[in-house]
Amino acid sequence: MARERKLSRRSLLGGAAATAGAAALTATTAGTASAAVTRTADVAIVGAGLAGLTAARDLVAAGKSVVVLEARDRVGGRVLGLNLAGGGVTEGGGEFIGPTQDRIRALADSLGVQTFTTYNTGNNLLYKDGKRTPYATDGILGSVPPIDAAGLANAAIVQAKLDDLAKEIPVDAPWTASKADVWDRQTFETWLRANAVIPSAKFLFDVACTSIFSAEPRELSFLFVLFYIAAAGDAANPGTLERLTETAGGAQELRFVGGSQLVPIKLAATLGDRVVLGAPVRTIAKSGARYVVTADGITVTAAKVVVAVPPPIAARITYDPLLPAARDQLTQRLPMASVGKAIAIYDTPFWRADGLNGQVVSDTGVISSTFDNSPPDASFGALMGFIEADEARKLDAASESEVRAAVLKDYTTYFGAKAASPTSFVLQRWNNEAHTRGGPVSIAAPGVLTQYGPALREPVGGIHWAGTETSTYWMGFMDGAVRSGERVAKEVLAAL
């Protein structure tokens, strides 16, 4: 039988080896698939993102054998560190955590990955109707952009109504809410038009929608939006829209020193050669009482299988026997949203000297929201902008130089002439990433949750489902991914 070729430490780190935290990983033993390898385990896990790796950790701790199969040549899934030409790393995927996201925080703490506060000192910028307006985030309005008084009043009413309606959503089964059928028959756009009746208020919720979901309001079921708000908390703290959108006190409050990918990297290192990279799974077939999971270069026979990849990616695997129609139809109806991240690197975070915190809300351009992505020591400056929803789709076929030009035009509009000349520029286009094809999360249009939602977590025989989309709290976030891994491990252990 052919032996698996071991990955070098540099390969496993997936581009993050230059960081100080990664330097602590001195003896990584993860494998990569080679021809004709066969392995046997109690559980085969598809996907080495936070969900799959967390499930593997818990199963191993319970004395079970696992093999984690990952299609990419790195771990982390939608969490990715991007190497910079001048040294250092920046964030290409999920990066922020905040209050009530206790499971990702606990995991990072257990691995020695520290956090630091997202830079939030100074003024935000509102760019609207061609006008650039700095505004404080610690005044009477908090971080709400300074639109007209009528718009602010309308927005406050709409936000309160959304939070109140979200309290009626059972996070473990939103399709059972008393008004689920009514809410799932309409889009978020339809609801906003009836409630955010002042144009400036509608603008705020449009920007919030694309920032949270990387999708336009017309693409989303109103029930799905209410569930997402309800899920932005925990059992003791009801979810709120504010917790989703805020930096201080919200989901963007903290970042990881050395980059968020250090968490899955270090977690994978504890699993050693149980993690196999470069092994996209093609088929999952039942054979007697066990399952045969076939990936490129490796076949794993296991009693149980955990599929911990986004629903649209899980749908590309061939299952034998066929999945129940409800499960398959569900995955057909949960597409990935559309997102990219563009990071311009500068010698210094020059905008700080201008009294700006690097955060923008805009009604125009390729980039409608930005953050200061500089490292905690400010050894270089990094402006990160989200390319989302319609704007992301418009640029899917554009060259990187075309995207760069469009992004830097926006950065110059927001931050002045210095922004036009970065020392380097990095781009992560999740729509064009082979094993994700969008992000940050799968989204549901009207009719999906009420008709197909019960199939989201329901095991199919010995096949179990994980991934942030299956989480009851913080669905769509790193915390949701960790929670789903913990949940599915308990589920599998009870079934073994």
Side-chain angles (χ1 to χ4, degrees):
M1 183 176 71
R3 295 180 62 84
E4 294 176 41
R5 178 171 58 86
K6 305 300 184 195
L7 280 187
S8 68
R9 173 173 169 271
R10 182 176 180 82
S11 296
L12 177 67
L13 295 185
T19 67
L25 297 178
T26 57
T28 295
T29 57
T32 189
S34 58
V37 173
T38 60
R39 290 172 68 171
T40 301
D42 293 320
V43 185
I45 298 175
V46 182
L50 285 168
L53 293 172
T54 298
R57 174 203 63 181
D58 290 358
L59 290 166
V60 169
K64 304 303 178 183
S65 59
V66 304
V67 176
V68 183
L69 300 171
E70 169 56 50
R72 300 172 178 87
D73 63 355
R74 62 171 181 84
V75 299
R78 286 169 270 182
V79 178
L80 173 63
L82 299 173
N83 273 353
L84 300 176
V89 66
T90 193
E91 307 275 13
E95 63 174 289
F96 301 108
I97 67 169
T100 74
Q101 294 188 13
D102 302 323
R103 302 318 303 152
I104 179 65
R105 183 65 179 268
L107 174 60
D109 287 347
S110 73
L111 296 167
V113 182
Q114 298 179 332
T115 60
F116 68 102
T117 302
T118 302
Y119 191 80
N120 198 40
T121 302
N123 289 331
N124 279 26
L125 286 175
L126 170 66
Y127 188 82
K128 188 174 185 297
D129 300 325
K131 182 181 178 182
R132 178 181 176 275
T133 305
Y135 64 97
T137 62
D138 55 359
I140 190 170
L141 298 178
S143 62
V144 178
I147 57 173
D148 58 278
L152 286 172
N154 187 202
I157 292 170
V158 171
Q159 178 168 322
K161 188 176 292 187
L162 286 169
D163 286 346
D164 285 344
L165 293 177
K167 292 174 184 174
E168 300 181 33
I169 304 295
V171 292
D172 58 341
W175 45 87
T176 66
S178 61
K179 297 181 181 178
D181 286 340
V182 174
W183 293 333
D184 207 29
R185 288 193 188 114
Q186 60 185 309
T187 64
F188 189 33
E189 173 72 19
T190 301
W191 189 88
L192 283 175
R193 287 185 179 183
N195 289 273
V197 294
I198 306 298
S200 56
K202 177 64 161 56
F203 154 72
L204 290 183
F205 288 100
D206 286 346
V207 172
C209 181
T210 55
S211 297
I212 294 168
F213 299 99
S214 297
E216 303 293 339
R218 68 175 185 275
E219 298 179 82
L220 304 173
S221 158
F222 185 50
L223 177 62
F224 177 72
V225 171
L226 292 178
F227 161 60
Y228 213 83
I229 295 170
D234 57 25
N237 299 277
T240 65
L241 180 62
E242 184 178 32
R243 195 175 291 123
L244 282 170
T245 59
E246 289 295 312
T247 300
Q252 287 69 234
E253 184 172 70
L254 299 172
R255 296 170 57 204
F256 289 111
V257 177
S260 53
Q261 197 188 2
L262 279 182
V263 178
I265 286 169
K266 289 194 170 189
L267 181 52
T270 69
L271 296 168
D273 64 4
R274 299 178 183 92
V275 180
V276 182
L277 305 181
V281 170
R282 306 300 182 182
T283 63
I284 299 174
K286 198 166 192 304
S287 178
R290 296 178 69 81
Y291 288 84
V292 178
V293 182
T294 304
D296 289 2
I298 182 171
T299 298
V300 180
T301 301
K304 304 292 180 183
V305 180
V306 171
V307 178
V309 297
I313 304 302
R316 298 180 183 186
I317 298 170
T318 298
Y319 299 86
D320 183 13
L322 292 175
L323 294 177
R327 171 69 198 186
D328 192 79
Q329 293 273 310
L330 173 73
T331 59
Q332 293 180 42
R333 288 164 170 78
L334 287 178
M336 300 299 285
S338 301
V339 68
K341 293 180 78 172
I343 305 100
I345 306 301
Y346 304 89
D347 289 332
T348 64
F350 62 84
W351 49 92
R352 297 182 182 181
D354 297 331
L356 301 175
N357 62 17
Q359 296 174 45
V360 171
V361 174
S362 176
D363 68 348
T364 189
V366 169
I367 301 290
S368 60
S369 63
T370 67
F371 281 88
D372 182 330
N373 255 38
S374 308
D377 63 0
S379 54
F380 60 84
L383 278 176
M384 181 275 286
F386 289 104
I387 309 173
E388 298 179 294
D390 284 350
E391 293 302 328
R393 290 185 283 267
K394 289 176 186 176
L395 294 173
D396 281 343
S399 68
E400 184 164 335
S401 62
E402 290 171 328
V403 176
R404 183 182 189 275
V407 169
L408 293 182
K409 179 181 178 182
D410 288 345
Y411 288 177
T412 302
T413 297
Y414 305 147
F415 297 104
K418 292 179 182 178
S421 304
T423 57
S424 62
F425 182 88
V426 288
L427 181 65
Q428 176 64 23
R429 305 163 81 175
W430 289 100
N431 291 13
N432 295 339
E433 205 276 344
H435 301 294
T436 309
R437 301 316 304 263
V441 66
S442 293
I443 56 175
V448 175
L449 288 181
T450 50
Q451 293 301 306
Y452 305 100
L456 187 60
R457 288 182 295 275
E458 184 66 25
V460 177
I463 303 174
H464 300 254
W465 313 101
T468 189
E469 284 82 5
T470 70
S471 186
T472 53
Y473 287 109
W474 289 109
M475 183 264 209
F477 289 76
M478 291 185 287
D479 189 73
V482 174
R483 288 174 187 268
S484 79
E486 293 174 337
R487 184 264 306 162
V488 83
K490 293 176 183 176
E491 186 178 283
V492 169
L493 287 170
L496 279 171

